[in-house]
């Protein structure tokens, strides 16, 4: 049953990626929406879950928040190192993004979707009602995952075939995670730490890359509205499935 439900997440992820690639003529709106979706996922979904799962503190600060900051700084460090390497090889540090950053970010989205599948499988082991609730939550926000995976991969200059490959991997990940949940158990503290770290990475990409790019050539009010709509969509999803 868990694998069958995960197929719904597979289809919803593909739908999100398909939507992102179909509206390329409104790229600034796509990026604005992606930024809002990522902001909503981090602030309204990942961080609350991370704080609940990783309850320990380090020197008076929740471990999940420390890992959140570490994820933000790690994403910044990796991007700067890759940009410096490209500049040393004759590339333009300011006008050309490193494709590796997009692939790494998309791979992190795939990892997140894999953990979603594990959550579906584990919740069905607890009970049918719990499994249904978790499955609905995962399926509802997998549209945003697919949308963001395709957008992130494309934004950093990767070929479209790579964007499709990462989208397909992100769609398959919940099914694989649900199947693996019968054999793998992830400690709650580890899961919370992972969510905090991933949230920091995602927030950096949204604030430092996606949203500035959205307003670079089209500083339009409609782009801001798309960002607000993306965050509001995640709020509605969390409210209905929480």
């Amino acid at each position: 049953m868990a694998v069958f439900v995960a197929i719904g997440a597979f289809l919803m992820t593909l739908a999100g990626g398909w939507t992102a690639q179909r509206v390329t003529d409104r790229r600034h709106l796509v990026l604005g929406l992606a930024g809002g979706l990522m902001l909503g996922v981090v602030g309204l979904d990942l961080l609350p879950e991370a704080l609940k799962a990783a309850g320990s503190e380090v020197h008076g600060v929740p471990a999940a928040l420390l890992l959140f900051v570490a994820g933000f700084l790690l994403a910044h460090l990796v991007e700067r190192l890759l940009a410096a390497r490209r500049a040393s090889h004759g590339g333009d540090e300011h006008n050309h993004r490193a494709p590796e950053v997009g692939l790494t970010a998309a791979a992190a989205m795939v990892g997140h979707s894999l953990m979603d599948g594990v959550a579906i499988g584990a919740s069905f082991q607890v009970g049918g009602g719990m499994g249904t609730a978790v499955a609905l939550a995962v399926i509802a926000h997998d549209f945003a995952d697919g949308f963001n995976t395709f957008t992130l991969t494309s934004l950093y200059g990767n070929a479209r075939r790579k964007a499709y490959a990462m989208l397909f991997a992100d769609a398959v990940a919940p099914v694989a995670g649900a199947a693996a949940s019968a054999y793998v158990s992830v400690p709650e503290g580890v899961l919370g730490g992972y969510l905090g770290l991933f949230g920091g990475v995602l927030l950096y990409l949204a604030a430092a890359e996606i949203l500035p790019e959205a307003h670079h050539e089209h500083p339009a009010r409609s782009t801001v509205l798309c960002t607000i709509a993306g965050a509001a969509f995640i709020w509605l999803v969390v409210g209905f499935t929480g």
Side-chain angles (χ1 to χ4, degrees), residues 38-78:
M38 292 165 73
L39 175 62
V41 166
V42 172
L44 307 177
D45 185 19
L46 293 182
L47 271 184
E49 289 297 324
L51 288 170
K52 283 194 296 184
S56 61
E57 292 189 353
V58 179
H59 198 58
V61 178
L65 290 183
L66 285 175
L67 286 167
F68 172 77
V69 173
F72 188 98
L73 294 175
L74 178 63
H76 177 59
L77 177 63
V78 168

Short mmCIF file of all heavy atoms in Angstrom, two decimals, residues 38-78:
data_model
loop_
_atom_site.label_atom_id
_atom_site.label_comp_id
_atom_site.label_asym_id
_atom_site.label_seq_id
_atom_site.Cartn_x
_atom_site.Cartn_y
_atom_site.Cartn_z
N MET A 38 10.11 27.40 -2.31
CA MET A 38 11.25 26.98 -1.50
C MET A 38 11.23 27.64 -0.13
O MET A 38 11.49 27.00 0.90
CB MET A 38 12.55 27.28 -2.24
CG MET A 38 12.73 26.42 -3.48
SD MET A 38 14.02 27.02 -4.60
CE MET A 38 15.47 26.58 -3.69
N LEU A 39 10.90 28.93 -0.09
CA LEU A 39 10.80 29.63 1.18
C LEU A 39 9.71 29.00 2.06
O LEU A 39 9.91 28.79 3.27
CB LEU A 39 10.48 31.11 0.93
CG LEU A 39 10.22 31.96 2.17
CD1 LEU A 39 11.46 32.01 3.06
CD2 LEU A 39 9.81 33.39 1.76
N GLY A 40 8.56 28.69 1.45
CA GLY A 40 7.48 28.08 2.21
C GLY A 40 7.85 26.70 2.73
O GLY A 40 7.55 26.35 3.88
N VAL A 41 8.51 25.90 1.89
CA VAL A 41 8.91 24.56 2.31
C VAL A 41 9.87 24.63 3.49
O VAL A 41 9.74 23.88 4.47
CB VAL A 41 9.56 23.80 1.13
CG1 VAL A 41 10.29 22.55 1.61
CG2 VAL A 41 8.50 23.41 0.11
N VAL A 42 10.83 25.56 3.43
CA VAL A 42 11.82 25.67 4.51
C VAL A 42 11.17 26.15 5.80
O VAL A 42 11.31 25.53 6.86
CB VAL A 42 12.95 26.63 4.11
CG1 VAL A 42 13.87 26.92 5.30
CG2 VAL A 42 13.76 26.04 2.97
N GLY A 43 10.47 27.29 5.73
CA GLY A 43 9.96 27.91 6.94
C GLY A 43 8.75 27.24 7.55
O GLY A 43 8.58 27.25 8.78
N LEU A 44 7.90 26.65 6.71
CA LEU A 44 6.63 26.12 7.20
C LEU A 44 6.58 24.59 7.28
O LEU A 44 5.68 24.05 7.91
CB LEU A 44 5.50 26.61 6.30
CG LEU A 44 5.43 28.13 6.09
CD1 LEU A 44 4.32 28.49 5.11
CD2 LEU A 44 5.25 28.85 7.41
N ASP A 45 7.55 23.94 6.65
CA ASP A 45 7.53 22.48 6.62
C ASP A 45 8.81 21.87 7.20
O ASP A 45 8.77 21.16 8.21
CB ASP A 45 7.33 22.01 5.17
CG ASP A 45 7.17 20.50 5.05
OD1 ASP A 45 6.86 19.86 6.06
OD2 ASP A 45 7.35 19.97 3.95
N LEU A 46 9.96 22.16 6.59
CA LEU A 46 11.20 21.50 7.01
C LEU A 46 11.62 21.88 8.43
O LEU A 46 11.92 21.00 9.25
CB LEU A 46 12.32 21.84 6.03
CG LEU A 46 12.20 21.28 4.62
CD1 LEU A 46 13.42 21.68 3.80
CD2 LEU A 46 12.06 19.77 4.63
N LEU A 47 11.69 23.18 8.72
CA LEU A 47 12.19 23.59 10.04
C LEU A 47 11.30 23.12 11.20
O LEU A 47 11.83 22.61 12.20
CB LEU A 47 12.35 25.12 10.08
CG LEU A 47 13.72 25.64 9.63
CD1 LEU A 47 13.78 27.16 9.81
CD2 LEU A 47 14.85 24.99 10.39
N PRO A 48 9.97 23.26 11.12
CA PRO A 48 9.16 22.71 12.20
C PRO A 48 9.36 21.22 12.41
O PRO A 48 9.46 20.74 13.56
CB PRO A 48 7.72 23.03 11.75
CG PRO A 48 7.86 24.23 10.87
CD PRO A 48 9.15 24.01 10.14
N GLU A 49 9.45 20.46 11.30
CA GLU A 49 9.68 19.02 11.43
C GLU A 49 11.06 18.73 12.01
O GLU A 49 11.22 17.81 12.82
CB GLU A 49 9.54 18.36 10.05
CG GLU A 49 8.12 18.31 9.52
CD GLU A 49 7.21 17.47 10.40
OE1 GLU A 49 7.68 16.44 10.93
OE2 GLU A 49 6.04 17.84 10.56
N ALA A 50 12.06 19.50 11.59
CA ALA A 50 13.41 19.29 12.10
C ALA A 50 13.48 19.55 13.60
O ALA A 50 14.13 18.81 14.35
CB ALA A 50 14.40 20.20 11.35
N LEU A 51 12.83 20.60 14.05
CA LEU A 51 12.86 20.94 15.47
C LEU A 51 12.14 19.90 16.31
O LEU A 51 12.54 19.61 17.45
CB LEU A 51 12.22 22.32 15.69
CG LEU A 51 13.06 23.51 15.19
CD1 LEU A 51 12.25 24.79 15.22
CD2 LEU A 51 14.33 23.66 16.02
N LYS A 52 11.07 19.31 15.76
CA LYS A 52 10.37 18.24 16.49
C LYS A 52 11.19 16.96 16.55
O LYS A 52 11.22 16.27 17.56
CB LYS A 52 9.01 17.96 15.83
CG LYS A 52 7.94 18.97 16.15
CD LYS A 52 6.56 18.48 15.77
CE LYS A 52 6.44 18.28 14.27
NZ LYS A 52 5.05 17.87 13.90
N ALA A 53 11.85 16.64 15.43
CA ALA A 53 12.56 15.36 15.35
C ALA A 53 13.90 15.40 16.08
O ALA A 53 14.27 14.44 16.76
CB ALA A 53 12.79 14.99 13.89
N ALA A 54 14.64 16.51 15.95
CA ALA A 54 15.96 16.63 16.60
C ALA A 54 15.81 17.53 17.81
O ALA A 54 16.05 18.74 17.73
CB ALA A 54 16.99 17.18 15.62
N GLY A 55 15.41 16.97 18.93
CA GLY A 55 15.08 17.78 20.10
C GLY A 55 16.28 18.19 20.93
O GLY A 55 16.14 19.02 21.83
N SER A 56 17.45 17.64 20.68
CA SER A 56 18.60 17.95 21.52
C SER A 56 19.12 19.36 21.25
O SER A 56 18.88 19.94 20.20
CB SER A 56 19.72 16.93 21.26
OG SER A 56 20.13 16.98 19.91
N GLU A 57 19.86 19.89 22.24
CA GLU A 57 20.44 21.22 22.12
C GLU A 57 21.96 21.14 22.23
O GLU A 57 22.50 20.24 22.88
CB GLU A 57 19.90 22.16 23.20
CG GLU A 57 18.43 22.50 23.04
CD GLU A 57 18.00 23.59 24.01
OE1 GLU A 57 18.80 23.99 24.88
OE2 GLU A 57 16.85 24.05 23.88
N VAL A 58 22.63 22.06 21.57
CA VAL A 58 24.08 22.18 21.65
C VAL A 58 24.40 23.59 22.13
O VAL A 58 24.14 24.56 21.41
CB VAL A 58 24.75 21.90 20.29
CG1 VAL A 58 26.26 22.05 20.41
CG2 VAL A 58 24.40 20.51 19.79
N HIS A 59 24.91 23.70 23.34
CA HIS A 59 25.24 25.00 23.93
C HIS A 59 24.04 25.95 23.89
O HIS A 59 24.13 27.12 23.51
CB HIS A 59 26.43 25.62 23.21
CG HIS A 59 27.12 26.71 23.99
ND1 HIS A 59 27.66 26.50 25.25
CD2 HIS A 59 27.36 28.02 23.70
CE1 HIS A 59 28.19 27.63 25.69
NE2 HIS A 59 28.02 28.57 24.77
N GLY A 60 22.88 25.41 24.25
CA GLY A 60 21.68 26.23 24.38
C GLY A 60 20.91 26.48 23.11
O GLY A 60 19.89 27.18 23.13
N VAL A 61 21.37 25.92 21.98
CA VAL A 61 20.70 26.12 20.69
C VAL A 61 20.26 24.76 20.15
O VAL A 61 21.05 23.81 20.16
CB VAL A 61 21.64 26.81 19.67
CG1 VAL A 61 20.95 26.96 18.32
CG2 VAL A 61 22.09 28.16 20.20
N PRO A 62 19.01 24.64 19.67
CA PRO A 62 18.57 23.36 19.08
C PRO A 62 19.52 22.90 17.98
O PRO A 62 19.93 23.69 17.13
CB PRO A 62 17.18 23.69 18.52
CG PRO A 62 16.69 24.82 19.36
CD PRO A 62 17.93 25.64 19.68
N ALA A 63 19.85 21.61 18.01
CA ALA A 63 20.79 21.06 17.02
C ALA A 63 20.30 21.27 15.60
O ALA A 63 21.09 21.52 14.68
CB ALA A 63 21.01 19.57 17.30
N ALA A 64 18.98 21.19 15.40
CA ALA A 64 18.43 21.36 14.06
C ALA A 64 18.71 22.76 13.52
O ALA A 64 18.98 22.94 12.33
CB ALA A 64 16.92 21.09 14.08
N LEU A 65 18.66 23.78 14.40
CA LEU A 65 18.93 25.14 13.95
C LEU A 65 20.41 25.35 13.65
O LEU A 65 20.76 26.07 12.70
CB LEU A 65 18.46 26.15 15.00
CG LEU A 65 16.95 26.29 15.19
CD1 LEU A 65 16.63 27.37 16.21
CD2 LEU A 65 16.27 26.60 13.86
N LEU A 66 21.27 24.72 14.43
CA LEU A 66 22.70 24.80 14.13
C LEU A 66 23.00 24.18 12.77
O LEU A 66 23.78 24.73 11.98
CB LEU A 66 23.51 24.09 15.22
CG LEU A 66 23.64 24.82 16.56
CD1 LEU A 66 24.38 23.93 17.57
CD2 LEU A 66 24.39 26.14 16.39
N LEU A 67 22.38 23.04 12.49
CA LEU A 67 22.59 22.40 11.19
C LEU A 67 21.95 23.20 10.06
O LEU A 67 22.44 23.19 8.94
CB LEU A 67 22.03 20.98 11.23
CG LEU A 67 22.89 20.00 12.03
CD1 LEU A 67 22.13 18.71 12.30
CD2 LEU A 67 24.19 19.70 11.29
N PHE A 68 20.87 23.90 10.38
CA PHE A 68 20.24 24.79 9.40
C PHE A 68 21.22 25.88 8.97
O PHE A 68 21.41 26.14 7.77
CB PHE A 68 18.97 25.39 10.00
CG PHE A 68 18.34 26.47 9.17
CD1 PHE A 68 17.60 26.15 8.05
CD2 PHE A 68 18.49 27.80 9.52
CE1 PHE A 68 17.02 27.16 7.27
CE2 PHE A 68 17.91 28.80 8.76
CZ PHE A 68 17.18 28.48 7.64
N VAL A 69 21.85 26.53 9.95
CA VAL A 69 22.85 27.56 9.65
C VAL A 69 24.04 26.95 8.91
O VAL A 69 24.58 27.53 7.96
CB VAL A 69 23.31 28.26 10.95
CG1 VAL A 69 24.46 29.22 10.67
CG2 VAL A 69 22.15 29.00 11.59
N ALA A 70 24.45 25.75 9.34
CA ALA A 70 25.58 25.07 8.69
C ALA A 70 25.25 24.76 7.23
O ALA A 70 26.10 24.89 6.35
CB ALA A 70 25.92 23.78 9.44
N GLY A 71 24.02 24.36 6.97
CA GLY A 71 23.61 24.08 5.59
C GLY A 71 23.65 25.33 4.72
O GLY A 71 24.10 25.29 3.57
N PHE A 72 23.19 26.45 5.29
CA PHE A 72 23.23 27.72 4.55
C PHE A 72 24.68 28.09 4.21
O PHE A 72 25.00 28.44 3.07
CB PHE A 72 22.58 28.80 5.41
CG PHE A 72 22.37 30.12 4.71
CD1 PHE A 72 21.14 30.43 4.17
CD2 PHE A 72 23.40 31.05 4.59
CE1 PHE A 72 20.92 31.64 3.52
CE2 PHE A 72 23.21 32.25 3.95
CZ PHE A 72 21.97 32.55 3.41
N LEU A 73 25.56 28.01 5.21
CA LEU A 73 26.96 28.37 5.00
C LEU A 73 27.65 27.38 4.06
O LEU A 73 28.50 27.77 3.25
CB LEU A 73 27.69 28.40 6.34
CG LEU A 73 27.24 29.51 7.32
CD1 LEU A 73 27.95 29.36 8.65
CD2 LEU A 73 27.50 30.89 6.72
N LEU A 74 27.30 26.11 4.16
CA LEU A 74 27.90 25.11 3.28
C LEU A 74 27.54 25.38 1.82
O LEU A 74 28.41 25.32 0.94
CB LEU A 74 27.41 23.71 3.69
CG LEU A 74 27.90 22.55 2.82
CD1 LEU A 74 29.42 22.41 2.92
CD2 LEU A 74 27.21 21.25 3.25
N ALA A 75 26.27 25.71 1.56
CA ALA A 75 25.85 26.01 0.19
C ALA A 75 26.59 27.24 -0.33
O ALA A 75 27.04 27.27 -1.49
CB ALA A 75 24.34 26.24 0.14
N HIS A 76 26.75 28.25 0.53
CA HIS A 76 27.47 29.46 0.13
C HIS A 76 28.94 29.14 -0.18
O HIS A 76 29.50 29.61 -1.18
CB HIS A 76 27.37 30.50 1.24
CG HIS A 76 28.12 31.76 0.97
ND1 HIS A 76 27.88 32.56 -0.12
CD2 HIS A 76 29.14 32.36 1.66
CE1 HIS A 76 28.69 33.60 -0.09
NE2 HIS A 76 29.47 33.50 0.96
N LEU A 77 29.56 28.34 0.68
CA LEU A 77 30.96 27.99 0.50
C LEU A 77 31.18 27.20 -0.80
O LEU A 77 32.10 27.50 -1.57
CB LEU A 77 31.45 27.17 1.69
CG LEU A 77 32.90 26.65 1.62
CD1 LEU A 77 33.87 27.83 1.57
CD2 LEU A 77 33.19 25.76 2.82
N VAL A 78 30.32 26.22 -1.03
CA VAL A 78 30.46 25.39 -2.23
C VAL A 78 30.30 26.24 -3.48
O VAL A 78 31.08 26.14 -4.43
CB VAL A 78 29.44 24.24 -2.22
CG1 VAL A 78 29.38 23.55 -3.59
CG2 VAL A 78 29.79 23.23 -1.14
#
